[in-house]
């Protein structure tokens, strides 16, 4: 029984955790098992191979860690770096800020490149730092692919081009928590050394699994990395991989079966089709925002996100009132503005196992809330803009052709 039950379904449009498909819920509805039996290692072996596909890697080694994205961050850092190592990291929003804070608390020498919230990572500054670093004192570039606080997506291919142009050996570490399985992501092609995501985002699972994928170069770095690590130590996993039992400690059996179902849904649709669907939903949301006469927090088209849109409200409106009203009156969950943009933006998450009609329901709810809080929106304007675009761009469902 819900603590605060409401009729119908909750319309969950925060940028994670997201809606869980019925197929995944059913797959997880099972008893515990002995993870040392032959069944769980057999399942894990197949999952590890299939997980590589969502990163678009053939050479990477994945780790399924019972943790959140924050734990996955720590895993990426402590397995590849030593205290005092210099990293370059980009502060563009709340989650990049938190990752920088973690790097600093772990004892790394963090070279912070800060931009206004709503802008992407300043890669011109990165290029100048890499060009000047002839002694290769920079050991890692740490970047958030998709900053969910502001709805900004960074260009990872450009980061790789900069490193290659100057023949710089720095590790390339990427937070793909709100991008992998939703945005175009190419671990091998872009030379990413560690990529990570969380189960509660585009994979559409419950929170509790951090998925990390390490390149051969990253695995080699573990041999010299002196950061203290126990729970997140990749070497423990690798030892059990070789033994064929796969787990250094007890996994979540239910999440493993949920992951199997989630991957099956993604592969049935086709990963490229999943990315295209997110592109449509992102475009439709931005068209709705424009029709409402409001602005996107993202300052340039090149940075817009197809998994979350941060909507800037007029100064006479507190965006927290929009989020609160949506939940209390319409059973609609929207994302709050965080830190520097608290009270200034609300966020519409459009990622995971989500379709066009679900999004249109959310946009209709947002319009009613905007009217409730005194914004002179024309009801139906955003829905019309979004549905007009979607009606012309939505293909047949691949499995039903």
């Amino acid at each position: 029984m819900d603590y605060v039950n409401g009729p119908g379904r909750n319309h969950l449009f925060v940028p994670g955790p997201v809606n869980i498909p019925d197929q995944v819920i059913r797959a997880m509805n099972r008893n515990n098992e002995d993870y040392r039996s032959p069944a769980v290692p057999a399942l894990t072996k197949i999952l590890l191979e299939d997980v590589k596909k969502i990163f678009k890697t053939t050479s990477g080694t994945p780790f399924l860690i019972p943790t959140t994205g924050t734990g996955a961050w720590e895993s990426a850092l402590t397995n590849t770096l030593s205290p005092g190592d210099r990293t370059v990291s980009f502060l563009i929003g709340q989650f990049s800020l938190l990752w920088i804070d973690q790097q600093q608390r772990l004892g790394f020498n963090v070279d912070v490149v800060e931009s206004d919230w709503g802008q992407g990572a300043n890669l011109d500054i990165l290029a100048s730092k890499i060009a000047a670093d002839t002694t290769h004192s920079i050991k890692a570039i740490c970047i958030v692919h998709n900053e969910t606080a502001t709805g900004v997506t960074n260009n990872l291919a450009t980061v790789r081009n900069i490193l290659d142009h100057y023949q710089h050996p720095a590790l390339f570490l990427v937070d793909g928590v709100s991008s992998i399985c939703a945005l175009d992501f190419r671990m091998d092609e872009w030379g990413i050394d560690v990529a990570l995501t969380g189960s509660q985002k585009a994979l559409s699972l419950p929170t509790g699994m951090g998925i990390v994928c390490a390149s051969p170069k990253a695995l080699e770095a573990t041999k010299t990395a002196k950061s203290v690590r126990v729970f997140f130590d990749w070497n423990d996993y690798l030892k059990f991989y070789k033994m064929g039992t796969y787990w250094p400690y007890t996994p979540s059996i239910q999440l493993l079966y949920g992951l199997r179902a989630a991957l099956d849904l993604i592969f049935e649709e086709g990963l490229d089709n999943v990315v295209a669907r997110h592109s449509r939903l992102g475009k439709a949301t931005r068209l709705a925002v424009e029709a409402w006469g409001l602005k996107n927090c993202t300052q340039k088209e090149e940075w817009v996100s197809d998994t979350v849109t941060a909507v800037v409200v007029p100064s006479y409106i507190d965006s927290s009132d929009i989020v609160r009203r949506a939940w209390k009156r319409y059973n609609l969950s929207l994302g709050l503005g965080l830190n520097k943009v608290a009270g200034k933006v609300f966020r519409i998450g459009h990622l995971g196992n989500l379709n066009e009609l679900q999004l249109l329901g959310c946009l209709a709810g947002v319009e009613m809330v905007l009217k409730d809080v005194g914004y002179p929106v024309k009801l139906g304007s955003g829905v019309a803009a979004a549905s007009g675009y979607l009606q012309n761009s939505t293909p047949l469902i691949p499995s039903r052709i």
Side-chain angles (χ1 to χ4, degrees), residues 248-278:
Y249 35 67
T250 310
S252 168
I253 300 297
Q254 290 76 16
L255 274 178
L256 292 180
Y257 283 102
L259 177 60
R260 178 68 273 161
L263 292 174
D264 288 345
L265 289 173
I266 289 168
F267 297 153
E268 180 183 9
E269 184 178 358
L271 184 56
D272 290 341
N273 291 329
V274 171
V275 172
R277 172 167 53 81
H278 282 84

Side-chain angles (χ1 to χ4, degrees), residues 40-354:
V40 173
L43 171 63
T44 304
K45 181 180 179 180
I46 297 170
L47 285 174
L48 290 173
E49 282 303 312
D50 279 351
V51 157
K52 291 164 68 173
K53 297 173 186 176
I54 67 174
F55 291 92
K56 291 194 175 177
T57 180
T58 57
S59 60
T61 299
F63 302 95
L64 309 177
I65 305 173
T67 187
T68 63
T70 304
W73 283 345
E74 187 167 332
S75 166
L77 296 168
T78 56
N79 279 281
T80 58
L81 299 170
S82 300
D85 278 353
R86 182 183 175 194
T87 66
V88 175
S89 202
F90 303 88
L91 202 173
I92 61 171
Q94 178 65 10
F95 296 96
S96 53
L97 171 66
L98 291 173
W99 199 16
I100 288 168
D101 175 65
Q102 186 185 75
Q103 292 170 54
Q104 292 169 333
R105 291 162 70 180
L106 288 169
F108 305 121
N109 176 18
V110 188
D111 191 342
V112 179
V113 179
E114 186 169 1
S115 301
D116 290 341
W117 290 33
Q119 295 182 358
N122 191 324
L123 300 184
D124 291 335
I125 292 179
L126 173 65
S128 65
K129 288 181 181 293
I130 293 297
D133 185 34
T134 56
T135 62
H136 297 163
S137 66
I138 297 171
K139 301 304 180 186
I141 310 301
C142 301
I143 187 167
V144 174
H145 187 197
N146 189 76
E147 172 57 70
T148 55
T150 54
V152 166
T153 302
N154 286 307
N155 190 320
L156 301 181
T158 300
V159 176
R160 171 43 60 194
N161 290 338
I162 291 169
L163 291 172
D164 288 351
H165 179 76
Y166 292 103
Q167 298 182 326
H168 198 288
L171 292 165
F172 187 11
L173 311 185
V174 176
D175 167 351
V177 169
S178 62
S179 66
I180 291 170
C181 282
L183 307 182
D184 188 21
F185 194 91
R186 311 177 192 181
M187 183 172 177
D188 284 357
E189 182 178 333
W190 295 337
I192 295 167
D193 292 302
V194 185
L196 59 96
T197 190
S199 55
Q200 79 280 12
K201 298 287 187 173
L203 275 166
S204 300
L205 286 161
T207 308
M209 184 184 290
I211 304 176
V212 181
C213 199
S215 72
K217 180 179 174 182
L219 291 182
E220 188 66 24
T222 65
K223 297 176 181 178
T224 54
K226 294 181 173 57
S227 293
V228 175
R229 54 197 185 271
V230 180
F231 183 77
F232 295 119
D233 196 336
W234 295 345
N235 289 316
D236 289 347
Y237 277 87
L238 293 171
K239 179 174 68 176
F240 283 85
Y241 286 4
K242 289 180 181 179
M243 293 169 58
T245 53
Y246 294 99
W247 291 102
Y249 35 67
T250 310
S252 168
I253 300 297
Q254 290 76 16
L255 274 178
L256 292 180
Y257 283 102
L259 177 60
R260 178 68 273 161
L263 292 174
D264 288 345
L265 289 173
I266 289 168
F267 297 153
E268 180 183 9
E269 184 178 358
L271 184 56
D272 290 341
N273 291 329
V274 171
V275 172
R277 172 167 53 81
H278 282 84
S279 178
R280 289 194 303 277
L281 298 179
K283 176 69 172 177
T285 304
R286 293 189 293 274
L287 287 171
V289 172
E290 183 180 350
W292 296 332
L294 296 173
K295 291 184 178 180
N296 194 327
C297 181
T298 313
Q299 295 180 17
K300 288 185 179 179
E301 183 70 22
E302 67 188 85
W303 294 320
V304 295
S305 169
D306 286 331
T307 59
V308 57
T309 300
V311 184
V312 180
V313 300
S315 58
Y316 63 87
I317 294 175
D318 184 339
S319 66
S320 299
D321 292 338
I322 292 173
V323 175
R324 188 178 304 110
R325 183 78 168 185
W327 185 76
K328 285 188 172 183
R329 190 172 191 193
Y330 302 112
N331 206 4
L332 170 63
S333 295
L334 302 170
L336 287 163
L338 302 173
N339 201 321
K340 284 188 177 182
V341 292
K344 300 176 182 178
V345 309
F346 67 92
R347 295 175 297 147
I348 302 172
H350 32 84
L351 73 160
N353 193 271
L354 183 72

